[in-house]
Amino acid sequence: MQTARTVPAATVVNLRDLGGIALGRDRRVRQGVLFRSGQLSDLEPDRDRAVAALGIRTVVDLRTADERQWSPDRLPDRARLFVADVLGDHPGVAPARLKALLADPDEAERALGGGRAEELFAETYRKMVLSPGAAAAYRAFLETAADPGAWPVLFHCTAGKDRTGWAAAVLLMILGASRETVRQDFLAVNPAVRAAFAPYVQKFLDGGGDPAVAAAIVEVRPRYLETALDAMDERWGGFDGYVRTGLRLPEPVLERLREGLVIVG
């Protein structure tokens, strides 16, 4: 089963092209249009030829105001920035504080030990589905993705795994991907994220940090996605209800996404 294709960027973490993902019989996502990644604070537009070659026109930043202030994006040449803050209603939750959570092993053990790290991240996924602010942010992202004038679009959060992962999952399901395809693609980011956070994790472990806590922070897990899907099913009775009532996406936007981003044959 095909997942998003890794783009070998030199200065952007976890950069992937959603193009080519299978959507069922003889259907797949159009290549070169939708990209996902971690933050762009280290992007070097003049040096990173892999990023320059993508011709990105629009960057959608899913991070909180604090994250954007601490690590502002450096944009590809001629790209415009669009902010869609998923966790603005809950700016202190775990995905917005990944490095801070790894900075103090003793505090991490008090706050996150005994399985609480996984619980904390799972609860954040519920918030990403249920909170009005998250719904508004994801609606804005999807409206941007449906606009050919904005293409190619790069959307990202800090590590490109949680807020970005749910954005990709919703988009793929709109385009017709099965939940199993979505699950495989969701989990496929783990090697890149582990590599990106390896120095922070090693320092955390050297300071006596619990490897189980570190893993729950830097990985995505099947439970996280299942928590989001369960919240969607419980509140809106399934994906169609979530898209139409939760996200309030107009039918023309859904049609433009499917017509513009799905390749047949």
Side-chain angles (χ1 to χ4, degrees):
M1 185 176 297
Q2 185 165 358
T3 58
R5 179 180 63 85
T6 299
V7 178
T11 61
V12 178
V13 170
N14 197 16
L15 179 57
R16 303 163 68 80
D17 182 354
L18 271 64
I21 294 177
L23 301 171
R25 185 177 179 85
D26 298 327
R27 296 160 65 86
R28 63 188 186 280
V29 180
R30 183 187 296 274
Q31 290 184 326
V33 176
L34 292 170
F35 298 88
R36 55 178 292 183
S37 74
Q39 66 192 35
L40 305 184
S41 56
D42 294 327
L43 173 64
E44 297 182 22
D46 295 335
R47 185 171 76 85
D48 204 327
R49 295 181 180 178
V51 175
L54 303 179
I56 299 297
R57 288 186 182 179
T58 308
V59 171
V60 180
D61 190 342
L62 304 174
R63 298 177 301 163
T64 64
D66 283 347
E67 290 172 285
R68 298 193 305 273
Q69 179 179 351
W70 295 331
S71 302
D73 275 349
R74 304 182 68 183
L75 299 179
D77 290 341
R78 294 181 293 282
R80 69 182 182 97
L81 178 65
F82 186 86
V83 173
D85 183 348
V86 171
L87 296 176
D89 293 347
H90 308 278
V93 297
R97 299 187 297 117
L98 297 179
K99 292 179 183 177
L101 292 171
L102 292 170
D104 188 335
D106 292 336
E107 178 59 28
E109 181 59 30
R110 284 191 293 270
L112 304 175
R116 282 171 290 179
E118 184 168 314
E119 294 291 339
L120 184 64
F121 271 84
E123 180 57 30
T124 298
Y125 275 76
R126 285 185 59 84
K127 291 182 171 70
M128 291 195 296
V129 173
L130 299 177
S131 82
Y138 284 124
R139 179 172 64 251
F141 157 65
L142 291 163
E143 289 172 342
T144 301
D147 177 9
W151 298 348
V153 174
L154 169 60
F155 60 103
H156 76 89
C157 52
T158 293
K161 69 183 184 79
D162 298 306
R163 287 161 287 185
T164 300
W166 181 242
V170 173
L171 180 58
L172 289 172
M173 286 189 285
I174 287 173
L175 299 183
S178 68
R179 289 199 180 186
E180 179 56 26
T181 295
V182 168
R183 179 180 179 276
Q184 293 291 333
D185 189 67
F186 177 78
L187 296 173
V189 303
N190 274 331
V193 177
R194 290 189 196 108
F197 280 83
Y200 303 97
V201 170
Q202 189 59 55
K203 185 175 180 180
F204 179 80
L205 299 178
D206 290 345
D210 183 347
V213 171
I217 291 171
V218 303
E219 295 175 355
V220 291
R221 294 182 168 179
R223 182 186 173 192
Y224 300 162
L225 179 61
E226 290 304 319
T227 298
L229 293 171
D230 288 348
M232 178 185 75
D233 292 343
E234 292 164 9
R235 175 68 63 87
W236 290 287
F239 185 66
D240 287 346
Y242 171 63
V243 168
R244 289 178 167 79
T245 306
L247 298 181
R248 294 187 289 113
L249 270 179
E251 191 62 33
V253 173
L254 296 172
E255 291 174 359
R256 285 198 300 272
L257 285 168
R258 292 167 181 147
E259 291 171 2
L261 298 175
V262 177
I263 298 295
V264 180

Coordinates of all heavy atoms in Angstrom, one line a residue, residues 77-163:
D77 N 10.8 30.7 -2.1 CA 10.7 31.9 -2.9 C 9.3 32.0 -3.5 O 8.7 31.0 -4.0 CB 11.7 31.8 -4.0 CG 13.2 32.0 -3.5 OD1 13.3 32.5 -2.3 OD2 14.1 31.6 -4.2
R78 N 8.7 33.2 -3.4 CA 7.5 33.6 -4.0 C 6.3 32.9 -3.4 O 5.2 32.9 -3.9 CB 7.5 33.4 -5.5 CG 8.4 34.3 -6.3 CD 8.4 34.1 -7.8 NE 8.9 32.8 -8.1 CZ 10.2 32.5 -8.2 NH1 11.2 33.4 -7.9 NH2 10.7 31.3 -8.5
A79 N 6.5 32.2 -2.3 CA 5.3 31.5 -1.6 C 4.7 32.5 -0.6 O 5.3 33.4 -0.1 CB 5.8 30.3 -0.8
R80 N 3.4 32.4 -0.4 CA 2.7 33.2 0.5 C 2.3 32.3 1.7 O 2.1 31.1 1.6 CB 1.4 33.8 -0.1 CG 0.3 32.8 -0.4 CD -0.9 33.5 -1.0 NE -2.0 32.5 -1.3 CZ -3.0 32.3 -0.5 NH1 -3.1 33.0 0.6 NH2 -4.0 31.5 -0.8
L81 N 2.2 33.0 2.9 CA 1.9 32.2 4.1 C 0.4 32.4 4.5 O -0.1 33.5 4.5 CB 2.7 32.8 5.3 CG 2.5 32.2 6.7 CD1 2.9 30.7 6.7 CD2 3.3 33.0 7.7
F82 N -0.2 31.3 4.9 CA -1.6 31.2 5.4 C -1.6 30.5 6.7 O -1.1 29.4 6.8 CB -2.5 30.5 4.4 CG -3.9 30.6 4.7 CD1 -4.7 31.6 4.3 CD2 -4.5 29.5 5.4 CE1 -6.1 31.7 4.6 CE2 -5.9 29.6 5.7 CZ -6.6 30.7 5.3
V83 N -2.1 31.2 7.8 CA -2.1 30.6 9.1 C -3.5 30.0 9.4 O -4.5 30.7 9.1 CB -1.8 31.7 10.2 CG1 -2.0 31.2 11.6 CG2 -0.4 32.2 10.0
A84 N -3.4 28.8 9.8 CA -4.7 28.1 10.2 C -4.4 27.3 11.5 O -4.0 26.2 11.6 CB -5.1 27.1 9.1
D85 N -4.5 28.1 12.6 CA -4.1 27.6 13.9 C -5.1 26.6 14.5 O -6.2 26.9 14.9 CB -4.0 28.8 14.9 CG -3.5 28.5 16.3 OD1 -3.4 27.3 16.6 OD2 -3.2 29.4 17.0
V86 N -4.7 25.3 14.5 CA -5.5 24.2 14.9 C -5.8 24.3 16.4 O -6.9 24.0 16.9 CB -4.9 22.9 14.5 CG1 -5.7 21.7 15.1 CG2 -4.9 22.8 13.0
L87 N -4.7 24.6 17.2 CA -4.8 24.4 18.6 C -4.9 25.8 19.3 O -4.6 25.9 20.5 CB -3.6 23.7 19.2 CG -3.6 22.2 18.7 CD1 -2.3 21.5 19.2 CD2 -4.8 21.4 19.2
G88 N -5.4 26.8 18.6 CA -5.5 28.1 19.2 C -6.4 28.1 20.5 O -6.2 28.9 21.4
D89 N -7.4 27.2 20.5 CA -8.3 27.1 21.6 C -7.6 26.4 22.8 O -8.0 26.5 24.0 CB -9.5 26.3 21.3 CG -10.4 27.0 20.3 OD1 -10.2 28.2 20.1 OD2 -11.3 26.3 19.7
H90 N -6.5 25.7 22.5 CA -5.8 24.9 23.5 C -4.3 25.0 23.3 O -3.6 24.0 23.0 CB -6.2 23.4 23.4 CG -7.7 23.2 23.5 ND1 -8.4 23.2 24.6 CD2 -8.6 23.0 22.4 CE1 -9.7 23.0 24.3 NE2 -9.8 22.9 23.0
P91 N -3.7 26.2 23.4 CA -2.3 26.4 23.0 C -1.3 25.7 23.8 O -0.1 25.5 23.4 CB -2.1 27.9 23.1 CG -3.1 28.3 24.1 CD -4.3 27.4 23.9
G92 N -1.6 25.2 25.0 CA -0.6 24.5 25.8 C -0.6 23.0 25.7 O 0.1 22.4 26.5
V93 N -1.3 22.4 24.8 CA -1.4 21.0 24.7 C -0.1 20.4 24.1 O 0.7 21.1 23.5 CB -2.6 20.5 24.0 CG1 -3.9 20.9 24.7 CG2 -2.6 21.0 22.5
A94 N 0.0 19.1 24.2 CA 1.3 18.4 24.0 C 1.9 18.7 22.6 O 3.1 19.0 22.5 CB 1.2 17.0 24.2
P95 N 1.2 18.6 21.5 CA 1.9 18.7 20.2 C 2.5 20.1 20.0 O 3.4 20.3 19.1 CB 0.7 18.5 19.2 CG -0.2 17.6 19.9 CD -0.2 18.1 21.3
A96 N 2.1 21.1 20.7 CA 2.6 22.5 20.6 C 3.9 22.6 21.5 O 4.5 23.7 21.5 CB 1.6 23.5 21.0
R97 N 4.2 21.6 22.3 CA 5.3 21.7 23.2 C 6.3 20.5 23.2 O 6.8 20.1 24.2 CB 4.8 21.9 24.7 CG 3.9 23.1 24.9 CD 3.5 23.3 26.3 NE 2.7 22.1 26.8 CZ 3.1 21.3 27.8 NH1 4.3 21.5 28.4 NH2 2.3 20.3 28.2
L98 N 6.5 20.0 22.0 CA 7.3 18.7 21.9 C 8.7 18.9 22.5 O 9.1 18.0 23.3 CB 7.4 18.3 20.4 CG 6.1 18.0 19.7 CD1 6.4 17.6 18.3 CD2 5.4 16.8 20.4
K99 N 9.4 19.9 22.1 CA 10.8 20.0 22.6 C 10.8 20.4 24.1 O 11.7 19.9 24.9 CB 11.5 21.1 21.8 CG 11.8 20.7 20.4 CD 12.5 21.7 19.6 CE 12.7 21.3 18.2 NZ 13.3 22.4 17.3
A100 N 9.8 21.2 24.6 CA 9.8 21.5 26.0 C 9.5 20.2 26.8 O 10.1 20.1 27.9 CB 8.7 22.5 26.3
L101 N 8.7 19.3 26.3 CA 8.4 18.1 27.1 C 9.6 17.2 27.2 O 9.7 16.5 28.2 CB 7.3 17.3 26.4 CG 5.9 18.0 26.4 CD1 4.9 17.2 25.5 CD2 5.3 18.0 27.8
L102 N 10.5 17.3 26.2 CA 11.8 16.5 26.3 C 12.9 17.2 27.0 O 14.0 16.6 27.2 CB 12.2 16.2 24.8 CG 11.3 15.2 24.0 CD1 11.8 15.2 22.6 CD2 11.3 13.8 24.6
A103 N 12.7 18.4 27.4 CA 13.8 19.2 28.0 C 14.0 18.9 29.5 O 15.1 19.2 30.0 CB 13.5 20.7 27.8
D104 N 13.1 18.4 30.2 CA 13.2 18.2 31.6 C 12.7 16.8 32.0 O 11.5 16.5 32.2 CB 12.3 19.2 32.4 CG 12.6 19.2 33.9 OD1 13.0 18.2 34.4 OD2 12.3 20.3 34.5
P105 N 13.6 15.8 32.1 CA 13.2 14.4 32.3 C 12.4 14.3 33.6 O 11.5 13.5 33.7 CB 14.5 13.7 32.4 CG 15.5 14.5 31.5 CD 15.1 15.9 31.8
D106 N 12.8 15.0 34.7 CA 12.1 14.8 36.0 C 10.7 15.3 35.9 O 9.8 14.6 36.4 CB 12.9 15.6 37.1 CG 14.2 14.9 37.4 OD1 14.4 13.7 37.1 OD2 15.1 15.7 37.9
E107 N 10.5 16.5 35.3 CA 9.2 17.0 35.1 C 8.3 16.1 34.2 O 7.1 15.9 34.4 CB 9.2 18.4 34.6 CG 7.8 19.1 34.4 CD 7.0 19.1 35.6 OE1 7.5 19.2 36.7 OE2 5.7 19.1 35.5
A108 N 9.0 15.6 33.2 CA 8.3 14.7 32.2 C 7.8 13.5 32.9 O 6.7 13.0 32.7 CB 9.2 14.3 31.1
E109 N 8.6 13.0 33.8 CA 8.2 11.8 34.6 C 7.0 12.1 35.5 O 6.0 11.3 35.6 CB 9.3 11.2 35.4 CG 9.0 10.0 36.2 CD 8.5 8.8 35.4 OE1 9.0 8.7 34.2 OE2 7.7 8.0 35.8
R110 N 7.0 13.2 36.1 CA 5.9 13.6 37.0 C 4.6 13.8 36.2 O 3.5 13.4 36.7 CB 6.3 14.9 37.8 CG 7.2 14.7 39.0 CD 7.3 15.9 39.8 NE 7.9 17.0 39.1 CZ 9.3 17.3 39.1 NH1 10.1 16.4 39.8 NH2 9.7 18.3 38.5
A111 N 4.8 14.5 35.1 CA 3.6 14.9 34.3 C 3.1 13.8 33.4 O 1.9 13.7 33.1 CB 3.8 16.2 33.6
L112 N 4.1 13.0 32.9 CA 3.7 12.1 31.7 C 4.0 10.6 32.0 O 3.7 9.8 31.1 CB 4.5 12.6 30.5 CG 4.3 14.0 30.1 CD1 5.3 14.3 28.9 CD2 2.9 14.3 29.7
G113 N 4.6 10.3 33.1 CA 5.0 8.9 33.4 C 3.7 8.0 33.6 O 2.6 8.5 33.7
G114 N 4.0 6.7 33.6 CA 2.9 5.8 33.9 C 1.8 5.7 32.8 O 0.7 5.5 33.1
G115 N 2.2 6.0 31.6 CA 1.3 5.9 30.5 C 0.5 7.2 30.2 O -0.3 7.3 29.3
R116 N 0.8 8.2 31.0 CA 0.0 9.5 30.8 C 0.4 10.2 29.6 O -0.4 11.0 29.0 CB 0.2 10.4 32.1 CG -0.6 9.9 33.3 CD -0.2 10.7 34.5 NE 1.1 10.3 35.0 CZ 1.7 10.8 36.0 NH1 1.1 11.7 36.8 NH2 2.9 10.4 36.4
A117 N 1.6 10.0 29.1 CA 2.0 10.7 27.8 C 1.1 10.3 26.7 O 0.6 11.1 25.9 CB 3.5 10.4 27.5
E118 N 0.9 9.0 26.5 CA 0.0 8.5 25.5 C -1.4 9.0 25.7 O -2.1 9.4 24.7 CB 0.0 7.0 25.4 CG -0.8 6.5 24.2 CD -0.6 5.0 24.0 OE1 0.6 4.6 23.9 OE2 -1.5 4.3 23.8
E119 N -1.9 9.1 26.9 CA -3.2 9.6 27.2 C -3.4 11.0 26.8 O -4.4 11.5 26.3 CB -3.5 9.4 28.7 CG -3.7 8.0 29.2 CD -4.9 7.3 28.7 OE1 -5.8 8.0 28.3 OE2 -4.9 6.1 28.6
L120 N -2.3 11.8 27.1 CA -2.3 13.2 26.8 C -2.4 13.5 25.3 O -3.2 14.3 24.8 CB -1.0 13.9 27.4 CG -0.9 15.4 27.3 CD1 -2.0 16.1 28.1 CD2 0.5 15.8 27.7
F121 N -1.6 12.7 24.5 CA -1.7 12.9 23.1 C -3.0 12.4 22.5 O -3.6 13.1 21.6 CB -0.5 12.2 22.4 CG 0.7 13.0 22.3 CD1 1.6 13.1 23.4 CD2 1.0 13.8 21.2 CE1 2.7 13.9 23.3 CE2 2.1 14.6 21.1 CZ 3.0 14.6 22.1
A122 N -3.5 11.3 23.0 CA -4.8 10.8 22.5 C -5.9 11.9 22.8 O -6.7 12.1 21.9 CB -5.2 9.5 23.2
E123 N -5.9 12.5 24.0 CA -6.9 13.5 24.3 C -6.7 14.7 23.4 O -7.7 15.3 23.0 CB -6.7 13.9 25.8 CG -7.8 15.0 26.2 CD -9.2 14.6 26.0 OE1 -9.5 13.3 26.0 OE2 -10.0 15.5 25.7
T124 N -5.5 15.0 23.0 CA -5.3 16.1 22.1 C -6.0 15.9 20.7 O -6.5 16.7 20.1 CB -3.8 16.4 21.9 OG1 -3.3 16.8 23.1 CG2 -3.6 17.6 20.9
Y125 N -5.9 14.6 20.3 CA -6.5 14.3 19.0 C -8.1 14.4 19.1 O -8.7 14.8 18.1 CB -6.2 12.8 18.6 CG -4.9 12.7 17.9 CD1 -3.7 12.9 18.5 CD2 -4.9 12.6 16.5 CE1 -2.5 12.8 17.8 CE2 -3.7 12.5 15.8 CZ -2.5 12.6 16.5 OH -1.3 12.6 15.8
R126 N -8.6 14.2 20.3 CA -10.1 14.5 20.4 C -10.3 16.0 20.3 O -11.3 16.4 19.6 CB -10.6 14.0 21.8 CG -10.7 12.5 22.0 CD -11.3 12.2 23.3 NE -12.6 12.8 23.5 CZ -13.8 12.3 23.1 NH1 -13.8 11.2 22.4 NH2 -14.9 13.0 23.3
K127 N -9.5 16.8 20.9 CA -9.6 18.2 20.7 C -9.5 18.7 19.3 O -10.2 19.6 18.8 CB -8.6 19.0 21.6 CG -8.8 18.8 23.1 CD -7.7 19.6 23.8 CE -8.0 19.7 25.3 NZ -7.8 18.4 26.0
M128 N -8.6 18.0 18.5 CA -8.4 18.4 17.1 C -9.7 18.1 16.3 O -9.9 18.8 15.3 CB -7.2 17.7 16.5 CG -5.9 18.2 17.1 SD -4.4 17.7 16.2 CE -4.4 15.9 16.3
V129 N -10.5 17.2 16.8 CA -11.7 16.9 16.0 C -12.9 17.7 16.6 O -13.7 18.2 15.8 CB -12.0 15.4 16.2 CG1 -13.4 15.0 15.6 CG2 -10.9 14.5 15.5
L130 N -12.9 17.9 17.9 CA -14.1 18.4 18.5 C -14.2 19.9 18.7 O -15.2 20.5 18.8 CB -14.4 17.7 19.8 CG -14.6 16.2 19.8 CD1 -14.8 15.6 21.2 CD2 -15.8 15.9 18.9
S131 N -13.0 20.6 18.8 CA -13.0 22.0 19.2 C -13.4 22.9 18.0 O -13.0 22.6 16.8 CB -11.6 22.4 19.7 OG -10.7 22.7 18.7
P132 N -14.2 23.9 18.2 CA -14.6 24.8 17.1 C -13.4 25.5 16.4 O -13.4 25.7 15.2 CB -15.5 25.9 17.8 CG -16.0 25.2 19.0 CD -14.8 24.3 19.5
G133 N -12.3 25.8 17.2 CA -11.2 26.5 16.6 C -10.5 25.5 15.6 O -10.0 25.9 14.6
A134 N -10.3 24.3 16.0 CA -9.7 23.3 15.1 C -10.5 23.1 13.9 O -10.0 23.0 12.8 CB -9.5 22.0 15.9
A135 N -11.9 23.0 14.0 CA -12.7 22.9 12.8 C -12.5 24.0 11.9 O -12.5 23.8 10.7 CB -14.2 22.8 13.3
A136 N -12.5 25.3 12.4 CA -12.3 26.4 11.5 C -10.9 26.4 10.8 O -10.8 26.7 9.6 CB -12.4 27.7 12.4
A137 N -9.9 25.9 11.5 CA -8.6 25.8 10.9 C -8.5 24.8 9.8 O -8.0 25.0 8.7 CB -7.5 25.5 12.0
Y138 N -9.1 23.6 10.1 CA -9.1 22.6 9.1 C -10.0 22.9 7.9 O -9.6 22.6 6.7 CB -9.5 21.2 9.7 CG -8.4 20.6 10.5 CD1 -8.6 20.3 11.8 CD2 -7.1 20.4 10.0 CE1 -7.5 19.7 12.6 CE2 -6.1 19.8 10.7 CZ -6.3 19.5 12.0 OH -5.3 18.9 12.8
R139 N -11.1 23.6 8.1 CA -11.9 24.1 7.0 C -11.1 25.1 6.1 O -11.1 25.0 4.9 CB -13.2 24.8 7.5 CG -14.1 25.3 6.4 CD -15.4 25.8 6.9 NE -15.3 26.9 7.8 CZ -15.5 26.9 9.1 NH1 -15.8 25.7 9.7 NH2 -15.4 28.0 9.9
A140 N -10.4 26.0 6.8 CA -9.6 26.9 6.0 C -8.5 26.2 5.2 O -8.2 26.6 4.0 CB -9.0 28.0 7.0
F141 N -7.9 25.2 5.8 CA -6.9 24.5 5.1 C -7.5 23.8 3.9 O -6.9 23.8 2.8 CB -6.2 23.4 6.0 CG -5.6 22.3 5.3 CD1 -4.5 22.5 4.4 CD2 -6.1 21.0 5.4 CE1 -3.9 21.4 3.8 CE2 -5.5 20.0 4.7 CZ -4.5 20.2 3.9
L142 N -8.6 23.1 4.0 CA -9.2 22.4 2.9 C -9.7 23.3 1.8 O -9.6 23.0 0.7 CB -10.3 21.5 3.5 CG -9.9 20.4 4.4 CD1 -11.0 19.8 5.2 CD2 -9.2 19.3 3.5
E143 N -10.2 24.5 2.2 CA -10.6 25.5 1.2 C -9.4 25.9 0.4 O -9.5 26.1 -0.8 CB -11.3 26.6 1.9 CG -12.7 26.3 2.4 CD -13.3 27.4 3.2 OE1 -12.6 28.3 3.7 OE2 -14.5 27.3 3.4
T144 N -8.2 26.1 1.1 CA -7.0 26.4 0.4 C -6.6 25.3 -0.6 O -6.2 25.5 -1.7 CB -5.9 26.8 1.4 OG1 -6.3 27.8 2.2 CG2 -4.6 27.2 0.7
A145 N -6.6 24.1 -0.1 CA -6.2 22.9 -0.9 C -7.1 22.8 -2.1 O -6.7 22.2 -3.1 CB -6.2 21.7 0.0
A146 N -8.3 23.3 -2.0 CA -9.3 23.1 -3.1 C -9.1 24.2 -4.2 O -9.8 24.2 -5.2 CB -10.7 23.2 -2.6
D147 N -8.2 25.2 -3.9 CA -8.1 26.3 -4.8 C -6.9 26.1 -5.8 O -5.7 26.2 -5.3 CB -7.9 27.6 -4.0 CG -7.6 28.8 -4.8 OD1 -7.8 28.7 -6.1 OD2 -7.3 29.9 -4.3
P148 N -7.1 25.9 -7.0 CA -5.9 25.6 -7.9 C -5.0 26.8 -8.0 O -3.8 26.6 -8.2 CB -6.6 25.4 -9.3 CG -8.0 25.0 -9.0 CD -8.4 25.7 -7.7
G149 N -5.5 28.0 -7.7 CA -4.6 29.2 -7.7 C -3.6 29.2 -6.5 O -2.6 29.9 -6.6
A150 N -3.8 28.3 -5.5 CA -2.9 28.2 -4.4 C -1.9 27.1 -4.6 O -0.9 27.0 -3.8 CB -3.7 27.9 -3.1
W151 N -2.1 26.3 -5.5 CA -1.2 25.1 -5.7 C 0.2 25.5 -6.3 O 0.3 26.5 -7.0 CB -1.8 24.1 -6.7 CG -3.1 23.5 -6.3 CD1 -3.7 23.6 -5.1 CD2 -4.0 22.8 -7.1 NE1 -4.9 22.9 -5.1 CE2 -5.1 22.4 -6.3 CE3 -4.0 22.4 -8.5 CZ2 -6.2 21.7 -6.8 CZ3 -5.1 21.7 -9.0 CH2 -6.2 21.4 -8.2
P152 N 1.2 24.7 -5.9 CA 1.3 23.7 -4.9 C 1.2 24.2 -3.5 O 1.7 25.3 -3.2 CB 2.6 23.0 -5.2 CG 3.0 23.4 -6.6 CD 2.5 24.8 -6.7
V153 N 0.6 23.4 -2.6 CA 0.4 23.8 -1.2 C 1.2 22.9 -0.3 O 1.3 21.7 -0.5 CB -1.1 23.6 -0.8 CG1 -1.3 23.9 0.7 CG2 -2.0 24.6 -1.6
L154 N 1.9 23.5 0.6 CA 2.7 22.8 1.7 C 2.0 23.1 3.0 O 1.9 24.3 3.4 CB 4.1 23.2 1.7 CG 5.0 22.8 2.9 CD1 5.0 21.3 2.9 CD2 6.4 23.4 2.8
F155 N 1.5 22.1 3.7 CA 0.9 22.4 5.0 C 1.8 21.7 6.1 O 2.3 20.6 5.9 CB -0.5 21.9 5.1 CG -0.8 20.4 4.8 CD1 -1.0 19.5 5.8 CD2 -0.8 20.0 3.5 CE1 -1.3 18.2 5.5 CE2 -1.0 18.6 3.2 CZ -1.3 17.7 4.2
H156 N 1.9 22.3 7.3 CA 2.8 21.8 8.3 C 2.4 22.2 9.7 O 1.6 23.2 9.9 CB 4.2 22.3 8.0 CG 4.4 23.7 8.3 ND1 4.9 24.1 9.6 CD2 4.3 24.8 7.6 CE1 5.0 25.4 9.6 NE2 4.7 25.9 8.5
C157 N 2.9 21.5 10.7 CA 2.9 22.0 12.1 C 4.3 22.0 12.6 O 5.2 22.5 11.9 CB 2.0 21.1 12.9 SG 2.3 19.3 12.8
T158 N 4.6 21.5 13.8 CA 6.0 21.5 14.2 C 6.8 20.3 13.7 O 7.8 20.5 13.0 CB 6.0 21.5 15.8 OG1 5.5 22.7 16.3 CG2 7.5 21.4 16.3
A159 N 6.3 19.1 14.0 CA 7.0 17.9 13.5 C 6.4 17.3 12.3 O 7.0 16.4 11.6 CB 7.0 16.8 14.6
G160 N 5.2 17.8 11.9 CA 4.5 17.3 10.7 C 3.9 15.9 11.0 O 3.7 15.1 10.1
K161 N 3.4 15.7 12.3 CA 2.9 14.4 12.6 C 1.5 14.4 13.2 O 0.7 13.5 12.9 CB 3.9 13.6 13.5 CG 3.9 14.2 14.9 CD 5.0 13.4 15.8 CE 5.0 13.9 17.2 NZ 3.9 13.3 18.0
D162 N 1.1 15.3 14.0 CA -0.1 15.3 14.7 C -1.2 16.2 14.0 O -2.1 15.7 13.4 CB 0.1 15.7 16.2 CG 1.0 14.8 16.9 OD1 0.7 13.5 16.9 OD2 2.0 15.2 17.5
R163 N -1.1 17.5 14.1 CA -2.0 18.4 13.4 C -1.9 18.1 11.9 O -3.0 18.1 11.3 CB -1.7 19.8 13.8 CG -2.1 20.2 15.2 CD -1.4 21.5 15.7 NE 0.0 21.2 16.0 CZ 0.8 22.1 16.5 NH1 0.4 23.3 16.8 NH2 2.1 21.8 16.8

